[in-house]
């Protein structure tokens, strides 16, 4: 083998190796990118700030409120506090008086509270309403359809939705009076 | 950068430690495998050139050689281990307890654990296992696995393919098993050859130099099992897509219908009946003795008789959808139900004896016989506000606690499920507006005033069971199984076979005899003993003892 030939041979081999290594590295990079994107998208299946709030319709059972049923899409133009709660849940019980306290004032300003209840029976809910003199709409979700739709895990969980039906914030756990008022300011409809 | 030509005529790639053909140690490269400090040769990877150690021209080569280092791989694993451990210091975000005042991670960690909690949150350790850097770390381990394997497999295969029966004397002498015999006849060599063949050695010859080899394919074991691992990693990657993998859980009570989570509200399940059976003596004599030894009940069957429905048409969530029956199924342990769209329901849990209905009677407190003045039945999941009894009594439910508990002296329910129901009843005697108050629960019947004319008693109750089902969609399982299978084949290949080689090297009137194996040296020695029986050839000596620096000798990996 002449020196020329050997050099050519070597160059050829190095080129082959370069291509082989590049292909393997690109394949693995693609797999990693795929994994990261897929993982990122998985989180996105949960509704969070910036997403359009999915629509639902439930009956309303609070005798102190005039509405018979509520469909979320019909509340467009109003700011909506969508609260998931149950009577046995202590932090839910803690935030209810605050919601009631602010409700009359902010209802005037164009905010509706929608409290989706996850108890099984309505008796306990009625007693709870009486105990705290609640006047905002309370909607039982007996088949947990809306809970499943919003992927709500632990209670309480609250979504703040603006007048365009876009989720502005999601709060896990109880709200203080101060926090609640701040959240209401954020979803106040612009006149 | 130049190739190395050995005196045997073979041209070796740069970085070769032992000539691929004749095994002669190549001068100047002995430090790579540490041969310069030992009398025996390091036979790992046949002393072939791991290319990565030599070429670093382009960026691709540099990345390649970085990942081809086992040291780097081990470090990546160590870092992943440390990171995984850090994630267990405080609960991950998804395990923040529901009773926490605020489950917002930004508040929870600092409020619960103080300053260290705050740091934990700010470092993002509360969502460690799903974080991009943790995933990248795991991916890098995968990359290291692939490149390390390729970078060793290719030169090793090449060296074993190129090897010649005629080896350099130095190579022979520096093997662990070695002997030298001064006078050997051709007949004797012939007999050795034959006996090796009988032991299923493959013989190759070159000018009287003999190589007997068997079990070479066991050397591929580690690489085959790495291929298995890589396939398992790919399967784990694919699990990230909800299209291919979903795992949910649903509780459903007897007689109730609920949406199956994960199906986007497409499927509903109704629990007709949950059956829990235990072994009893009626099952036959053979169980009797075993049952007597066992103090608790022995479960025999967990079964949900379920009806699966599919939603018809489009409806808004919450509105009662129109449903059609897809199938009726008996779901048992290990007998899941396939419901369509790739979803399978598995029997996974149960809760026995939730109260369903409870019947009460009212009698006079001073009546010794407790004769019922009236009875009523309460549906635990849908109690009425008041019950009118036959004799004009009215009973109102003032409070209902499905799972009653005293909390700082305050009665409350800790869940919505009637596992330990308790009631505060108001009894209105006929034509009375002032009620009597009674508190009735399981094993409790309290008259707070001690002046009640009427008393309540539980006369009957009805229980029901709750079934827990895993909802799963998993198209990745066959890939996992394939990966595991290949992994197992690799392990078996490397474990149950050994690569044994025996060299017969004529020298003068005699021969040099050397042998090498990657494990089970004892069996190799037995093979040799059998082969040289009735000849003057000396049995090989184990030279390992001669080597002073042998303490850290390991296998191939």
């Amino acid at each position: 083998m002449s020196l020329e030939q050997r050099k050519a041979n070597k160059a050829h081999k190095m080129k082959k190796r370069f291509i082989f290594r590049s292909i393997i590295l690109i394949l693995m990079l693609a797999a990693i990118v795929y994994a990261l994107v897929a993982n990122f998208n998985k989180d996105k299946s949960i509704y969070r700030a910036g997403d359009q709030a999915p629509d639902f319709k439930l009956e309303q059972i609070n005798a102190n409120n005039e509405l018979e049923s509520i469909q979320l899409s019909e509340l467009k133009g109003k700011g909506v506090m969508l609260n998931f709660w149950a009577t046995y849940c202590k932090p839910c019980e803690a935030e209810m008086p605050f919601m009631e306290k602010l409700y009359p004032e902010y209802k005037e300003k164009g905010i509706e509270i929608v409290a989706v209840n996850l108890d099984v029976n309505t008796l306990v809910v009625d007693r709870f309403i009486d105990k705290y003199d609640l006047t905002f709409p309370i909607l039982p979700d007996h088949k947990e359809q809306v809970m499943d739709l919003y992927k709500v895990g632990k209670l309480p969980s609250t979504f703040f939705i603006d007048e365009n039906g876009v989720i502005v914030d999601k709060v896990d756990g109880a709200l203080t009076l101060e926090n609640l008022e701040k959240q209401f300011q954020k979803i106040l409809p612009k006149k | 950068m130049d190739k190395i030509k050995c005196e045997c005529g073979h041209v070796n790639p740069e970085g070769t430690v032992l000539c691929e053909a004749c095994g002669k140690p190549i001068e100047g490269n002995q430090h790579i495998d540490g041969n310069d400090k030992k009398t025996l040769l390091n036979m790992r990877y046949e002393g072939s050139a791991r290319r990565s150690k030599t070429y670093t021209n382009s960026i691709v080569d540099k990345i390649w050689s970085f990942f081809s280092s086992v040291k780097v791989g081990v470090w990546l694993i160590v870092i992943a281990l440390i990171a995984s451990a850090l994630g267990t210091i405080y609960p991950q975000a998804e395990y923040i307890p529901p009773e926490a005042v605020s489950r917002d991670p930004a508040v929870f960690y600092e409020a619960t654990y103080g300053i260290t909690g705050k740091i934990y949150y700010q470092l993002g350790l509360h969502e460690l296992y799903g974080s991009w850097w943790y995933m990248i770390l795991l991916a890098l381990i995968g990359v290291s696995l692939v490149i390390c394997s390729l970078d060793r497999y290719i030169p090793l295969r090449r060296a074993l393919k190129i090897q010649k029966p005629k080896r350099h004397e130095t190579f022979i002498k520096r093997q662990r098993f070695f002997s030298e015999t001064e006078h050997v006849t051709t007949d004797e060599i012939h007999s050795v050859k034959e006996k090796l063949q009988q032991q299923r050695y493959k013989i190759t010859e070159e000018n009287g130099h003999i190589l007997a080899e068997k079990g070479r394919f066991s050397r591929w074991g580690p690489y085959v099992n790495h291929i298995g691992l890589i396939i398992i990693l790919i399967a784990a990657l694919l699990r990230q897509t909800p299209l291919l993998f979903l795992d949910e859980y649903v509780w459903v009570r007897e007689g109730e219908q609920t949406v199956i989570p994960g199906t986007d509200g497409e499927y509903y399940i109704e629990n007709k009946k949950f059956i829990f059976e235990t072994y009893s003596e009626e099952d036959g004599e053979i169980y009797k003795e075993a049952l007597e030894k066992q103090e608790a009940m022995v479960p025999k069957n967990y079964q949900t008789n379920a009806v699966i429905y599919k939603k018809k048409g489009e409806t808004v969530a919450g509105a009662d959808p129109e449903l059609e029956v897809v199938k009726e199924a008996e779901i048992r342990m290990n007998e899941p139900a396939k419901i369509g769209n790739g979803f399978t329901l598995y029997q996974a849990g149960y809760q026995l004896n939730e109260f369903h209905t409870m019947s009460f009677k009212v009698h006079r407190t001073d009546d010794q016989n407790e004769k019922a003045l009236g009875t009523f039945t309460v549906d635990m999941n849908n109690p009425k506000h008041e019950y009118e009894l036959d004799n004009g009594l009215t009973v109102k439910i003032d409070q209902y606690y499905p799972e009653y508990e005293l909390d700082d002296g305050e009665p409350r329910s800790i869940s919505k499920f009637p596992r330990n129901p308790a009631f505060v009843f108001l009894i209105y005697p006929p034509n009375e507006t002032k009620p009597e108050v009674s508190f009735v629960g399981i094993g409790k019947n309290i008259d707070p005033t001690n002046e009640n004319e009427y008393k309540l008693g539980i006369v009957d109750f009805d229980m029901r069971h709750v079934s827990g089902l895993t909802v799963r969609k998993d198209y990745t399982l066959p890939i996992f199984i394939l990966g595991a299978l290949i992994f197992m084949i690799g392990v078996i290949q490397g474990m149950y076979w050994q690569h044994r080689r025996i060299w017969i090297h004529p020298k003068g009137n005699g021969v040099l005899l050397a042998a090498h194996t990657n494990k089970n040296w004892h069996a190799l020695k037995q093979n040799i003993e059998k082969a040289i029986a009735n000849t003057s050839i000396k049995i090989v000596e184990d030279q390992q003892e001669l080597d002073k620096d042998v303490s850290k000798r390991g296998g191939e990996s």
Side-chain angles (χ1 to χ4, degrees):
Chain A
M1 219 190 289
S2 76
L3 197 66
E4 304 285 290
Q5 254 178 324
R6 219 184 279 174
K7 265 187 182 165
N9 204 1
K10 196 166 135 189
H12 176 69
K13 270 194 174 166
M14 277 176 58
K15 199 177 157 198
K16 243 171 71 182
R17 189 178 58 238
F18 179 80
I19 292 169
F20 173 73
R21 288 182 177 183
S22 302
I23 289 172
I24 299 260
L25 286 176
I26 286 167
L27 279 180
M28 287 190 295
L29 187 71
I32 295 171
V33 169
Y34 162 77
L36 289 174
V37 169
N39 192 50
F40 178 69
N41 283 339
K42 198 155 83 177
D43 286 349
K44 259 168 68 181
S45 70
I46 300 166
Y47 294 103
R48 56 184 65 209
D51 294 338
Q52 192 76 28
D55 195 19
F56 63 87
K57 185 180 181 175
L58 288 172
E59 258 178 75
Q60 197 288 120
I61 57 159
N62 187 353
N64 302 329
N65 192 284
E66 69 282 2
L67 294 168
E68 295 218 323
S69 72
I70 285 185
Q71 181 156 2
L72 189 70
S73 54
E74 284 169 8
L75 294 176
K76 280 241 168 98
K78 285 184 176 182
V80 175
M81 172 192 185
L82 176 60
N83 175 253
F84 290 86
W85 73 287
T87 57
Y88 54 86
C89 144
K90 267 191 176 176
C92 305
E93 191 165 355
E95 66 184 3
M96 281 289 172
F98 305 141
M99 286 156 68
E100 184 53 42
K101 192 171 177 207
L102 298 180
Y103 182 58
E105 181 194 337
Y106 282 91
K107 195 186 177 186
E108 289 292 308
K109 293 178 178 171
I111 284 179
E112 189 59 273
I113 294 178
V114 177
V116 174
N117 174 269
L118 293 153
D119 278 276
V120 180
N121 67 82
T122 45
L123 181 101
V124 290
V125 183
D126 290 339
R127 293 291 180 259
F128 189 92
I129 291 169
D130 293 345
K131 186 175 173 187
Y132 291 101
D133 288 320
L134 306 178
T135 56
F136 49 80
I138 292 186
L139 296 72
D141 183 22
H142 289 315
K143 284 186 180 162
E144 298 183 358
Q145 290 157 309
V146 180
M147 191 190 187
D148 181 52
L149 179 67
Y150 276 82
K151 305 263 189 303
V152 171
K154 293 159 186 163
L155 301 175
S157 222
T158 311
F159 293 83
F160 292 92
I161 301 164
D162 70 10
E163 75 257 40
N164 300 317
V166 174
I167 298 169
V168 175
D169 203 356
K170 183 191 172 191
V171 178
D172 290 323
L175 286 149
T176 58
L177 186 63
E178 194 191 341
N179 279 339
L180 187 59
E181 201 149 13
K182 264 189 219 158
Q183 294 285 355
F184 277 162
Q185 294 302 328
K186 282 198 257 178
I187 55 168
L188 224 52
K190 292 166 207 88
K191 293 268 159 70
Chain B
M1 281 302 297
D2 270 320
K3 297 191 177 221
I4 308 152
K5 191 170 178 182
C6 178
E7 63 174 54
C8 73
H10 181 70
V11 181
N12 290 292
E14 167 81 12
T16 303
V17 183
L18 305 174
C19 171
E20 291 174 324
C22 76
K24 180 177 186 262
I26 284 158
E27 225 167 294
N29 282 346
Q30 294 311 300
H31 59 283
I32 297 176
D33 281 347
N35 289 335
D36 47 349
K37 295 189 184 73
K38 293 181 186 175
T39 51
L40 294 186
L41 294 175
N42 184 349
M43 290 290 284
R44 203 186 275 192
Y45 314 120
E46 298 294 303
S48 59
R50 270 81 85 211
R51 305 281 187 92
S52 54
K53 296 203 170 176
T54 53
Y55 291 106
T56 46
N57 293 351
S58 59
I59 182 84
V60 170
D61 287 333
K62 280 188 177 128
I63 294 171
W64 191 271
S65 69
F66 175 76
F67 282 111
S68 83
S69 157
V70 171
K71 216 192 228 165
V72 168
V74 170
W75 271 112
L76 286 171
I77 292 169
V78 169
I79 293 167
L81 276 177
I82 294 170
S84 306
L86 285 176
T88 65
I89 295 176
Y90 296 132
Q92 291 287 294
E94 56 188 308
Y95 297 113
I96 293 176
E99 61 274 10
V101 179
S102 174
R103 298 197 316 278
D104 183 353
V107 182
F108 173 78
Y109 287 97
E110 193 179 357
T112 319
Y113 306 109
I115 184 74
T116 49
K118 189 178 180 182
I119 296 168
Y120 193 78
Y121 167 72
Q122 282 172 342
L123 289 176
L125 297 177
H126 66 297
E127 277 176 338
L128 179 109
Y129 303 110
S131 68
W132 60 269
W133 64 268
Y134 186 77
M135 291 193 57
I136 287 180
L137 195 57
L138 294 188
L140 292 183
I141 293 174
V143 171
S144 152
L145 190 73
V146 172
I147 295 183
C148 278
S149 301
L150 278 174
D151 217 56
R152 280 157 185 73
Y153 168 72
I154 292 171
L156 174 66
R157 195 192 57 174
R158 189 180 136 89
L160 286 175
K161 215 166 130 188
I162 289 172
Q163 64 169 337
K164 285 186 178 151
K166 184 181 171 185
R167 287 289 172 139
H168 194 268
E169 201 177 311
T170 326
F171 176 88
I172 299 284
K173 281 186 169 164
R174 287 178 75 179
Q175 291 300 318
R176 187 173 150 182
F177 275 2
F178 173 74
S179 76
E180 184 166 4
T181 316
E182 301 277 330
H183 293 280
V184 182
T185 64
T186 5
D187 283 347
E188 281 175 328
I189 289 180
H190 191 74
S191 129
V192 170
K193 228 168 74 183
E194 223 160 53
K195 281 177 181 155
L196 281 171
Q197 259 162 345
Q198 278 166 16
Q199 297 181 71
R200 277 177 278 117
Y201 276 85
K202 215 180 116 197
I203 311 280
T204 39
E205 273 189 272
E206 184 190 358
N207 296 335
H209 295 263
I210 297 168
L211 164 64
E213 184 181 18
K214 79 173 184 184
R216 191 197 283 185
F217 92 112
S218 106
R219 294 288 285 272
W220 316 137
Y223 308 103
V224 171
N225 98 40
H226 281 183
I227 291 169
L229 284 179
I230 290 160
I231 292 173
I232 289 172
L233 275 176
I234 290 170
L237 267 184
L238 294 176
R239 279 206 163 187
Q240 299 285 335
T241 350
L243 276 176
L244 295 175
F245 180 77
L246 256 170
D247 188 32
E248 299 272 357
Y249 199 89
V250 61
W251 283 109
V252 54
R253 322 197 118 62
E254 279 180 331
E256 284 190 1
Q257 189 193 56
T258 189
V259 63
I260 301 178
T263 62
D264 287 328
E266 277 294 303
Y267 287 92
Y268 285 72
I269 181 170
E270 182 186 352
N271 180 353
K272 285 274 184 200
K273 192 169 175 54
F274 178 76
I275 299 165
F276 174 71
E277 287 172 310
T278 55
Y279 282 99
S280 67
E281 295 196 357
E282 288 105 70
D283 290 312
E285 275 295 302
I286 53 161
Y287 296 115
K288 203 179 164 193
E289 208 178 323
L291 284 173
E292 275 165 7
K293 276 187 203 155
Q294 202 77 28
E295 286 188 11
M297 293 189 296
V298 182
K300 182 180 170 187
N301 184 24
Y302 306 96
Q303 175 180 339
T304 307
N305 292 347
V307 185
I308 313 295
Y309 300 89
K310 194 175 191 232
K311 192 172 82 174
K312 262 169 105 179
E314 279 300 307
T315 44
V316 165
D320 270 336
E322 205 184 319
L323 298 175
E324 60 178 348
V325 176
V326 178
K327 79 189 285 182
E328 293 191 24
E330 292 180 357
I331 305 167
R332 286 182 208 93
M333 284 274 287
N334 301 325
E335 289 176 40
K338 288 194 160 50
I339 61 170
N341 270 6
F343 286 101
T344 311
L345 297 177
Y346 296 84
Q347 185 67 55
Y350 67 98
Q351 275 170 31
L352 294 181
N353 301 332
E354 241 182 55
F355 287 89
H356 188 203
T357 62
M358 224 177 216
S359 298
F360 299 91
K361 68 174 179 183
V362 184
H363 61 87
R364 288 197 161 274
T365 312
D366 52 14
D367 181 0
Q368 293 274 318
N369 298 324
E370 301 188 353
K371 189 173 161 289
L373 300 172
T375 58
F376 62 99
T377 300
V378 179
D379 178 346
M380 292 300 169
N381 285 322
N382 195 14
K384 287 200 260 180
H385 288 60
E386 60 174 67
Y387 296 85
E388 275 186 39
L389 274 51
D390 298 340
N391 65 341
L393 277 166
T394 305
V395 179
K396 271 192 183 172
I397 299 178
D398 183 48
Q399 292 297 334
Y400 167 39
Y401 310 101
E403 190 167 4
Y404 165 79
E405 206 180 72
L406 260 187
D407 176 59
D408 277 335
E410 280 276 313
R412 67 175 290 131
S413 182
I414 54 167
S415 86
K416 59 182 166 183
F417 307 120
R419 293 179 191 134
N420 180 25
F423 295 89
V424 176
F425 286 114
L426 302 176
I427 305 170
Y428 292 82
N431 309 319
E432 280 272 358
T433 47
K434 222 182 133 264
E436 291 184 4
V437 180
S438 267
F439 179 86
V440 182
I442 306 302
K444 295 175 205 73
N445 197 336
I446 299 161
D447 169 5
T449 57
N450 256 330
E451 289 167 1
N452 281 358
E453 249 184 86
Y454 298 97
K455 201 173 171 180
L456 279 157
I458 300 169
V459 285
D460 196 14
F461 56 82
D462 178 25
M463 305 271 225
R464 66 172 171 180
H465 307 319
V466 190
S467 177
L469 300 156
T470 294
V471 183
R472 188 170 293 152
K473 180 167 82 172
D474 189 355
Y475 290 119
T476 63
L477 205 58
I479 309 173
F480 273 105
I481 292 171
L482 178 74
L485 197 75
I486 292 176
F487 178 87
M488 243 359 257
I489 290 171
V491 170
I492 291 167
Q493 206 175 327
M495 294 261 292
Y496 291 93
W497 280 269
Q498 301 97 37
H499 183 213
R500 296 175 191 167
R501 273 176 297 172
I502 300 164
W503 292 276
I504 299 171
H505 188 95
K507 190 188 179 191
N509 291 328
V511 290
L512 303 181
L513 182 65
H516 181 262
T517 178
N518 55 343
K519 59 166 114 18
N520 201 353
W521 292 82
H522 181 71
L524 176 63
K525 199 166 190 175
Q526 280 182 329
N527 287 164
I528 298 169
E529 273 166 4
K530 246 186 183 174
I532 61 171
N534 304 321
T535 69
S536 60
I537 298 173
K538 286 183 196 152
I539 184 63
V540 291
E541 298 273 343
D542 189 342
Q543 299 199 91
Q544 195 175 28
E545 283 79 37
L546 304 174
D547 209 325
K548 285 171 195 77
D549 190 26
V550 289
S551 50
K552 281 188 197 162
R553 195 163 268 272
E556 202 172 278
S557 92

